[in-house]
mmCIF file of all heavy atoms in Angstrom:
data_model
loop_
_atom_site.group_PDB
_atom_site.id
_atom_site.type_symbol
_atom_site.label_atom_id
_atom_site.label_comp_id
_atom_site.label_asym_id
_atom_site.label_seq_id
_atom_site.Cartn_x
_atom_site.Cartn_y
_atom_site.Cartn_z
ATOM 1 N N PHE A 167 -10.650 12.400 -3.946
ATOM 2 C CA PHE A 167 -10.601 11.979 -5.351
ATOM 3 C C PHE A 167 -10.496 10.458 -5.471
ATOM 4 O O PHE A 167 -9.874 9.802 -4.627
ATOM 5 C CB PHE A 167 -9.406 12.626 -6.063
ATOM 6 C CG PHE A 167 -9.371 14.126 -5.899
ATOM 7 C CD1 PHE A 167 -8.204 14.764 -5.505
ATOM 8 C CD2 PHE A 167 -10.505 14.884 -6.122
ATOM 9 C CE1 PHE A 167 -8.175 16.149 -5.333
ATOM 10 C CE2 PHE A 167 -10.486 16.262 -5.957
ATOM 11 C CZ PHE A 167 -9.316 16.893 -5.557
ATOM 12 N N TYR A 168 -11.085 9.933 -6.580
ATOM 13 C CA TYR A 168 -11.146 8.483 -6.794
ATOM 14 C C TYR A 168 -10.841 8.168 -8.259
ATOM 15 O O TYR A 168 -11.484 8.721 -9.151
ATOM 16 C CB TYR A 168 -12.563 7.973 -6.443
ATOM 17 C CG TYR A 168 -12.871 8.206 -4.983
ATOM 18 C CD1 TYR A 168 -13.289 9.462 -4.539
ATOM 19 C CD2 TYR A 168 -12.666 7.216 -4.042
ATOM 20 C CE1 TYR A 168 -13.511 9.715 -3.192
ATOM 21 C CE2 TYR A 168 -12.880 7.453 -2.690
ATOM 22 C CZ TYR A 168 -13.300 8.706 -2.278
ATOM 23 O OH TYR A 168 -13.494 8.960 -0.938
ATOM 24 N N THR A 169 -9.853 7.297 -8.470
ATOM 25 C CA THR A 169 -9.657 6.791 -9.823
ATOM 26 C C THR A 169 -10.595 5.608 -9.979
ATOM 27 O O THR A 169 -10.551 4.661 -9.188
ATOM 28 C CB THR A 169 -8.194 6.353 -10.027
ATOM 29 O OG1 THR A 169 -7.387 7.532 -10.011
ATOM 30 C CG2 THR A 169 -8.010 5.638 -11.356
ATOM 31 N N VAL A 170 -11.455 5.698 -10.973
ATOM 32 C CA VAL A 170 -12.485 4.667 -11.156
ATOM 33 C C VAL A 170 -12.239 3.954 -12.484
ATOM 34 O O VAL A 170 -12.188 4.586 -13.544
ATOM 35 C CB VAL A 170 -13.898 5.299 -11.136
ATOM 36 C CG1 VAL A 170 -14.969 4.228 -11.364
ATOM 37 C CG2 VAL A 170 -14.135 6.027 -9.816
ATOM 38 N N ILE A 171 -12.066 2.640 -12.390
ATOM 39 C CA ILE A 171 -11.839 1.832 -13.594
ATOM 40 C C ILE A 171 -13.203 1.249 -13.977
ATOM 41 O O ILE A 171 -13.802 0.494 -13.200
ATOM 42 C CB ILE A 171 -10.818 0.701 -13.312
ATOM 43 C CG1 ILE A 171 -9.570 1.233 -12.598
ATOM 44 C CG2 ILE A 171 -10.449 -0.024 -14.605
ATOM 45 C CD1 ILE A 171 -8.737 2.234 -13.361
ATOM 46 N N ALA A 172 -13.691 1.646 -15.154
ATOM 47 C CA ALA A 172 -15.074 1.288 -15.520
ATOM 48 C C ALA A 172 -15.135 0.680 -16.922
ATOM 49 O O ALA A 172 -14.280 0.939 -17.780
ATOM 50 C CB ALA A 172 -15.948 2.536 -15.469
ATOM 51 N N GLN A 173 -16.191 -0.097 -17.105
ATOM 52 C CA GLN A 173 -16.433 -0.751 -18.379
ATOM 53 C C GLN A 173 -17.057 0.265 -19.337
ATOM 54 O O GLN A 173 -18.067 0.886 -18.984
ATOM 55 C CB GLN A 173 -17.401 -1.920 -18.115
ATOM 56 C CG GLN A 173 -17.634 -2.873 -19.230
ATOM 57 C CD GLN A 173 -16.369 -3.557 -19.721
ATOM 58 O OE1 GLN A 173 -15.854 -3.175 -20.770
ATOM 59 N NE2 GLN A 173 -15.896 -4.547 -18.987
ATOM 60 N N THR A 174 -16.457 0.462 -20.493
ATOM 61 C CA THR A 174 -17.072 1.372 -21.471
ATOM 62 C C THR A 174 -17.556 0.618 -22.725
ATOM 63 O O THR A 174 -18.281 1.169 -23.536
ATOM 64 C CB THR A 174 -16.084 2.492 -21.894
ATOM 65 O OG1 THR A 174 -14.795 1.932 -22.140
ATOM 66 C CG2 THR A 174 -15.975 3.546 -20.808
ATOM 67 N N ASP A 175 -17.118 -0.643 -22.859
ATOM 68 C CA ASP A 175 -17.632 -1.462 -23.963
ATOM 69 C C ASP A 175 -17.538 -2.932 -23.561
ATOM 70 O O ASP A 175 -16.517 -3.594 -23.802
ATOM 71 C CB ASP A 175 -16.823 -1.200 -25.241
ATOM 72 C CG ASP A 175 -17.417 -1.949 -26.440
ATOM 73 O OD1 ASP A 175 -18.285 -2.834 -26.219
ATOM 74 O OD2 ASP A 175 -17.019 -1.644 -27.579
ATOM 75 N N PRO A 176 -18.622 -3.450 -22.949
ATOM 76 C CA PRO A 176 -18.580 -4.818 -22.409
ATOM 77 C C PRO A 176 -18.248 -5.868 -23.462
ATOM 78 O O PRO A 176 -17.700 -6.925 -23.134
ATOM 79 C CB PRO A 176 -19.998 -5.038 -21.862
ATOM 80 C CG PRO A 176 -20.583 -3.672 -21.715
ATOM 81 C CD PRO A 176 -19.895 -2.792 -22.704
ATOM 82 N N SER A 177 -18.507 -5.581 -24.730
ATOM 83 C CA SER A 177 -18.241 -6.600 -25.769
ATOM 84 C C SER A 177 -16.739 -6.804 -25.959
ATOM 85 O O SER A 177 -16.305 -7.779 -26.555
ATOM 86 C CB SER A 177 -18.874 -6.175 -27.095
ATOM 87 O OG SER A 177 -18.178 -5.056 -27.618
ATOM 88 N N LYS A 178 -15.918 -5.880 -25.440
ATOM 89 C CA LYS A 178 -14.475 -5.968 -25.697
ATOM 90 C C LYS A 178 -13.666 -6.484 -24.515
ATOM 91 O O LYS A 178 -12.424 -6.462 -24.558
ATOM 92 C CB LYS A 178 -13.951 -4.597 -26.116
ATOM 93 C CG LYS A 178 -14.480 -4.152 -27.473
ATOM 94 C CD LYS A 178 -13.723 -2.934 -27.960
ATOM 95 C CE LYS A 178 -14.175 -2.535 -29.356
ATOM 96 N NZ LYS A 178 -14.040 -1.108 -29.575
ATOM 97 N N GLY A 179 -14.329 -6.914 -23.447
ATOM 98 C CA GLY A 179 -13.600 -7.471 -22.295
ATOM 99 C C GLY A 179 -12.606 -6.481 -21.735
ATOM 100 O O GLY A 179 -12.921 -5.300 -21.547
ATOM 101 N N SER A 180 -11.368 -6.950 -21.493
ATOM 102 C CA SER A 180 -10.375 -6.070 -20.869
ATOM 103 C C SER A 180 -9.980 -4.902 -21.781
ATOM 104 O O SER A 180 -9.397 -3.920 -21.329
ATOM 105 C CB SER A 180 -9.130 -6.868 -20.454
ATOM 106 O OG SER A 180 -8.466 -7.342 -21.605
ATOM 107 N N LYS A 181 -10.335 -4.998 -23.074
ATOM 108 C CA LYS A 181 -10.037 -3.887 -24.002
ATOM 109 C C LYS A 181 -11.189 -2.870 -24.061
ATOM 110 O O LYS A 181 -11.141 -1.919 -24.837
ATOM 111 C CB LYS A 181 -9.800 -4.423 -25.420
ATOM 112 C CG LYS A 181 -8.561 -5.281 -25.546
ATOM 113 C CD LYS A 181 -7.322 -4.398 -25.624
ATOM 114 C CE LYS A 181 -6.092 -5.199 -25.966
ATOM 115 N NZ LYS A 181 -5.803 -6.262 -25.005
ATOM 116 N N GLY A 182 -12.215 -3.108 -23.246
ATOM 117 C CA GLY A 182 -13.351 -2.181 -23.225
ATOM 118 C C GLY A 182 -13.458 -1.465 -21.896
ATOM 119 O O GLY A 182 -14.548 -1.133 -21.439
ATOM 120 N N ILE A 183 -12.307 -1.257 -21.263
ATOM 121 C CA ILE A 183 -12.283 -0.661 -19.918
ATOM 122 C C ILE A 183 -11.532 0.672 -19.980
ATOM 123 O O ILE A 183 -10.520 0.786 -20.680
ATOM 124 C CB ILE A 183 -11.621 -1.651 -18.935
ATOM 125 C CG1 ILE A 183 -12.558 -2.849 -18.711
ATOM 126 C CG2 ILE A 183 -11.268 -0.988 -17.611
ATOM 127 C CD1 ILE A 183 -11.962 -3.994 -17.913
#
Side-chain angles (χ1 to χ4, degrees):
F167 307 131
Y168 297 81
T169 291
V170 178
I171 312 297
Q173 189 59 257
T174 44
D175 185 348
S177 69
K178 292 191 176 150
S180 67
K181 294 281 189 301
I183 290 172

